[in-house]
Amino acid sequence: MSLQAQPVEQAGPVGEPVISLRGISKNFGAVRALDAVDLDIFRGEVVAIVGDNGAGKSTLVKILAGVHPQDSGTISFEGRDVSIHSPAESRTLGLATVFQDLALCDNLDVVSNLFLGREMGGLTLDEEEMEKRSWELLQQLSAKIPSVRIAVASLSGGQRQTVAIARSLIGDPAVVILDEPTAALGVAQTAEVLNLIERLRERGLGVVLISHNMADVQAVADRVAVLRLGRNNGDFMVADVSYEDIIAAITGASDNAVTRRASAQAPGGRAGDAEPGGPPKVVEAAKDVGRTGTEHPDAGGADGRHSTEEGRQP
Amino acid sequence: MTNPIGPKAAAASGAPSGLATDRQDERLARDEGIGGAIASFRRRVAGGDLGSLPVVIGLVIIWAIFQILNPNFLSANNLVNLSLQCAATGTIAIGVVLVLLVAQIDLSIGSVSGLSAAILGVGITVAGWPIWLAIVVAVAVGLLIGLAYGLLFTKFGVPTFVITLAGLLAFLGLQLRVLGPNGSINLPYDSWIVQFAQAWFLPPWLAILLAAVAAAGMFLSDWLRARRRRAAGLSTGPVSLMVIKSTALLVVLVVAVAYLATDRGVGMMFLLFVVLVVVMNFFLVRTRWGRAVFAVGGNVEAARRAGIKVNRIYVSVLMLGTFFATIGGLLASARLTSASLSSGGGDTNLVAIAAAVIGGTSLFGGRGSAYSALLGILVIQSISNGLTLLNLDSSIRYMITGAVLLLAVIIDSLSRRSRASHGQA
Ligand SMILES: Nc1ncnc2c1ncn2[C@@H]1O[C@H](COP(=O)(O)OP(=O)(O)OP(=O)(O)O)[C@@H](O)[C@H]1O
Ligand SMILES: [Mg+2]
């Protein structure tokens, strides 16, 4: 992570989040998917959102993407309050989203999907220019897609995911939001996506990464925001938090199946195989019980921002 | 449009070999020249991407059978009749194709076409309007009906099946009300709209000129596309293939036009229908709106998240559906020189929907082409026309048309399954 390479004028005032969510709540009938969630997204920073299945990560993404509005709470973009009622508004603000379910049109070819909703050309479509750009984008992602003129339905899961990621890069986004972008990707493609995320950060974009893979999170994220049962449950700088601290915040306890397994298998074993993304270096069980989120209700607030700046110092 | 990834992009996209950008993946079968074009066509068919092939083959078989049963079937006189019979319902079928593409249905097209016929008849005879005014009023009413469908569907989420079923009944009633007690109005035979539908034919020289223009237009558009693709570093088909394609089109069109000219020639009404098909195809394939129509039919939620104003697409498509129904109704009444209780009644609804499906437009949305209206209506009207020549009555006609429709849907389902097994569902 070469922090010096970060162009300050592009990153803007470091202390000022590009997007700031405060008290976001969302109910689906009786299910309280999000409960007073706060989140800040800074330019030139990768923030990972982690949490168990059903923690509300995708719901938060969809609120930012304009798929469904929040029930309460405020979103501010570069300091002014905004409401995001539609996907088009989200895109106009400069948020580009890769959805967990990819949201591709199976009957359309790769080029049409990449440029859907923002086709190039005047009165008629400029297919050639779009096809050329598609190849450029896909080659950067090391995409293994034989032809961009075949229907997306005939692509493999990972190829489809690459198409969805490539789509978020079209246009000029200020923030890129990736909901489990590497879930179906091969080794090389995952590495490319992680490289891509680092390149996006170098260019001063804000990146939101949702992943269950702690190795990926620790590799590229600057900050980790933990959601648990729809609430904030900790906001850590990756540099100064251990794997087991994050796991403890995700599961809500330091003594649980994941940490027990990790400590049992760790000496010489490959804990990484036991649990997705568990780095094998975990040796001791969670030592810092005090770091669990229940005792850290305010982790996402001003302290988090302060530590953001501190974490940047080389 | 700037690239957020930056300078690495240029380096990554530099083509390592002399191959066009889209031909570099080593898993791609390399199809060069005309032999390659034929090979890739065969692969596509084997892979379940039948396109309009089954319809064309079906049409050839149907024509062969009827020609054997009755030598008059392929006479110039009968083919001219056939072309005129296709125009009205075929125009309605264009609207059906559009509505099916967004995975909706309009069951009221028959009633709406009947209503427009009634407005034309009453407008020019009882109310004494000029014909153009009657047409404007009928089209405006048709568009308003489509707008109402669109708003009901997008605001209240009522399925279009139900909305248009209600429309079927309501506008049938309105048609009866407009026609008044006598229930049938004859259009003046010397009015231009009747003349247009019955007596206006292209002079042979003009028809052949148009055929040449169509072929030249096809060559030019292929050639320009190839030039743009080459400029963008993409692969292009061989020029010889473009020449062969447009020459084949020219020969087919000139032969057809010359043969029809031995009788009355190409009817203006049929020409109008074909032009509408070509124009609609252009909008579907070459514009943002058309792309959005296919996207909405394929995956509405994905289209919505891509920022497409899905509701506007639905409303515009439903309005076009009733617009084409209106035009079809006007053409039908002009051809029959009357507007009556039976205008748009009987089998109009089902024939128009069946034509779209037989022509290859999927009932499930997202797949199809404006040309399926043309091909489908040719199949259905050929059957109907041929059976009439054989003096078989409509009971048999309905049964055979039903069987053909079933066959078309089976072919559609089989090719869908084949697409699925070849990974192109
Ligand atoms: N459209 C919806 N309708 C009803 N309930 C929903 C809907 N979307 C999400 N939920 C509920 O909201 C909660 C949070 O779901 P969400 O998809 O945000 O979880 P997640 O953190 O993304 O989980 P995962 O890691 O499995 O992707 C779940 O309990 C889910 O059942
Ligand atoms: Mg999710």
Side-chain angles (χ1 to χ4, degrees):
Chain A
M1 276 177 255
S2 63
L3 298 174
Q4 290 88 343
Q6 195 176 312
V8 178
E9 68 278 6
Q10 267 185 317
V14 176
E16 182 74 11
V18 55
I19 290 179
S20 162
L21 306 178
R22 286 291 170 269
I24 298 288
S25 298
K26 176 80 190 174
N27 293 340
F28 290 109
V31 179
R32 195 159 185 78
L34 291 175
D35 188 2
V37 169
D38 297 343
L39 180 73
D40 288 313
I41 302 168
F42 295 87
R43 284 189 194 277
E45 186 192 52
V46 178
V47 55
I49 304 181
V50 297
D52 264 338
N53 293 128
K57 308 180 294 295
S58 296
T59 307
L60 196 61
V61 167
K62 286 180 184 162
I63 287 172
L64 284 172
V67 173
H68 41 49
Q70 71 271 25
D71 293 340
S72 62
T74 56
I75 304 176
S76 54
F77 183 83
E78 290 178 335
R80 67 198 153 85
D81 277 5
V82 291
S83 48
I84 306 176
H85 292 296
S86 71
E89 282 172 15
S90 171
R91 281 192 154 195
T92 317
L93 281 179
L95 311 186
T97 309
V98 179
F99 294 97
Q100 189 170 11
D101 60 6
L102 304 184
L104 299 171
C105 288
D106 279 349
N107 58 330
L108 296 180
D109 63 20
V110 175
V111 178
S112 311
N113 267 290
L114 284 177
F115 285 89
L116 195 60
R118 47 183 61 195
E119 288 86 358
M120 302 172 78
L123 289 176
T124 60
L125 302 175
D126 187 348
E127 296 284 358
E128 292 74 27
E129 189 59 28
M130 288 196 280
E131 186 167 338
K132 192 174 141 200
R133 297 265 181 140
S134 303
W135 282 114
E136 288 171 6
L137 264 179
L138 293 172
Q139 277 167 355
Q140 287 169 53
L141 294 171
S142 302
K144 293 284 177 284
I145 293 180
S147 164
V148 291
R149 286 300 177 189
I150 49 177
V152 160
S154 58
L155 299 181
S156 76
Q159 290 171 333
R160 293 160 59 85
Q161 200 152 36
T162 311
V163 171
I165 294 171
R167 177 158 79 175
S168 71
L169 304 177
I170 286 170
D172 196 6
V175 174
V176 176
I177 303 168
L178 305 137
D179 194 349
E180 304 202 18
T182 56
L185 295 189
V187 182
Q189 287 73 28
T190 301
E192 281 304 333
V193 170
L194 298 182
N195 286 345
L196 168 79
I197 290 174
E198 284 175 346
R199 294 208 295 274
L200 293 175
R201 170 177 53 203
E202 278 164 26
R203 304 212 18 114
L205 276 74
V207 180
V208 179
L209 170 68
I210 293 177
S211 180
H212 288 294
N213 186 330
M214 288 305 141
D216 290 356
V217 168
Q218 291 189 315
V220 294
D222 301 304
R223 191 155 56 90
V224 185
V226 182
L227 286 186
R228 177 166 154 68
L229 302 174
R231 294 172 201 245
N232 286 111
N233 201 27
D235 193 323
F236 311 103
M237 296 311 297
V238 170
D240 45 55
V241 70
S242 66
Y243 168 69
E244 53 268 36
D245 287 345
I246 301 177
I247 295 298
I250 291 173
T251 56
S254 58
D255 182 35
N256 61 54
V258 183
T259 46
R260 271 199 305 275
R261 221 178 138 75
S263 54
Q265 293 199 350
R270 283 188 44 81
D273 292 339
E275 192 61 29
K281 67 179 162 88
V282 179
V283 179
E284 32 180 334
K287 50 187 193 286
D288 186 2
V289 183
R291 229 24 235 264
T292 56
T294 39
E295 298 174 36
H296 245 259
D298 194 25
D303 290 358
R305 193 159 77 207
H306 181 63
S307 58
T308 304
E309 285 165 70
E310 273 183 354
R312 285 257 164 65
Q313 304 311 318
Chain B
M1 208 176 271
T2 61
N3 191 325
I5 305 176
K8 273 204 170 185
S13 66
S17 64
L19 281 172
T21 324
D22 56 333
R23 284 279 171 264
Q24 284 170 13
D25 194 299
E26 59 200 37
R27 286 163 300 172
L28 270 185
R30 299 244 151 71
D31 297 323
E32 311 288 356
I34 295 170
I38 296 171
S40 82
F41 174 74
R42 278 181 31 197
R43 237 197 327 277
R44 258 179 36 215
V45 170
D49 183 6
L50 301 180
S52 44
L53 195 64
V55 209
V56 173
I57 292 175
L59 195 60
V60 169
I61 294 175
I62 289 167
W63 282 17
I65 292 176
F66 280 122
Q67 178 65 14
I68 292 167
L69 294 178
N70 185 332
N72 279 331
F73 181 75
L74 288 182
S75 69
N77 178 29
N78 192 48
L79 289 184
V80 171
N81 285 342
L82 179 63
S83 71
L84 295 179
Q85 286 158 359
C86 284
T89 315
T91 304
I92 302 178
I94 302 176
V96 176
V97 167
L98 294 171
V99 177
L100 288 181
L101 276 180
V102 293
Q104 300 300 321
I105 187 103
D106 186 345
L107 297 175
S108 71
I109 40 180
S111 299
V112 172
S113 73
L115 177 61
S116 78
I119 292 174
L120 176 72
V122 171
I124 62 180
T125 56
V126 181
W129 294 343
I131 293 175
W132 65 265
L133 181 61
I135 293 176
V136 167
V137 171
V139 167
V141 169
L143 288 173
L144 276 179
I145 293 171
L147 180 64
Y149 288 167
L151 294 179
L152 284 170
F153 176 63
T154 55
K155 300 290 173 222
F156 301 116
V158 190
T160 48
F161 181 87
V162 180
I163 302 174
T164 57
L165 192 59
L168 188 162
L169 293 168
F171 298 120
L172 183 60
L174 192 56
Q175 178 187 354
L176 303 188
R177 169 59 66 90
V178 169
L179 281 172
N182 39 0
S184 175
I185 290 168
N186 289 328
L187 304 184
Y189 186 77
D190 51 2
S191 61
W192 66 259
I193 190 162
V194 173
Q195 290 293 309
F196 167 82
Q198 297 206 347
W200 288 4
F201 292 89
L202 289 178
W205 64 267
L206 184 57
I208 288 180
L209 185 68
L210 285 181
V213 166
M218 178 159 133
F219 178 80
L220 199 66
S221 102
D222 280 0
W223 187 73
L224 286 175
R225 166 154 0 105
R227 214 176 64 164
R228 287 194 307 266
R229 286 182 67 86
R230 215 172 303 120
L234 302 168
S235 68
T236 55
V239 181
S240 52
L241 186 68
M242 296 178 212
V243 174
I244 292 176
K245 250 173 71 185
S246 43
T247 313
L249 181 71
L250 182 69
V251 169
V252 168
L253 287 182
V254 167
V255 167
V257 160
Y259 185 57
L260 292 180
T262 60
D263 191 66
R264 284 156 289 168
V266 178
M268 276 294 194
M269 188 166 71
F270 185 70
L271 182 69
L272 173 69
F273 167 49
V274 173
V275 167
L276 287 175
V277 168
V278 173
V279 167
M280 222 47 246
N281 183 64
F282 174 83
F283 278 105
L284 283 175
V285 175
R286 299 284 299 153
T287 66
R288 288 189 180 80
W289 173 83
R291 189 58 49 85
V293 167
F294 280 96
V296 167
N299 185 343
V300 205
E301 186 53 28
R304 202 168 81 84
R305 290 191 197 169
I308 290 173
K309 303 222 165 28
V310 169
N311 285 354
R312 286 193 203 167
I313 298 297
Y314 279 128
V315 171
S316 66
V317 164
L318 288 169
M319 286 177 77
L320 280 169
T322 51
F323 169 77
F324 281 111
T326 307
I327 301 293
L330 297 176
L331 294 180
S333 67
R335 186 172 144 67
L336 300 173
T337 49
S338 80
S340 71
L341 297 175
S342 61
S343 297
D347 56 357
T348 309
N349 244 338
L350 302 177
V351 168
I353 295 174
V357 175
I358 289 175
T361 294
S362 170
L363 282 168
F364 306 96
R367 270 174 217 287
S369 141
Y371 287 108
S372 43
L374 178 59
L375 287 170
I377 198 69
L378 270 174
V379 168
I380 293 190
Q381 289 299 349
S382 297
I383 295 171
S384 152
N385 175 301
L387 293 174
T388 312
L389 279 188
L390 295 176
N391 284 324
L392 292 171
D393 66 21
S394 36
S395 58
I396 308 228
R397 184 161 65 83
Y398 284 144
M399 287 191 271
I400 292 191
T401 311
V404 170
L405 175 61
L406 192 62
L407 194 68
V409 177
I410 289 174
I411 291 177
D412 182 35
S413 303
L414 284 181
S415 78
R416 190 201 320 280
R417 202 179 296 167
S418 166
R419 276 199 305 270
S421 68
H422 290 79
Q424 284 159 35

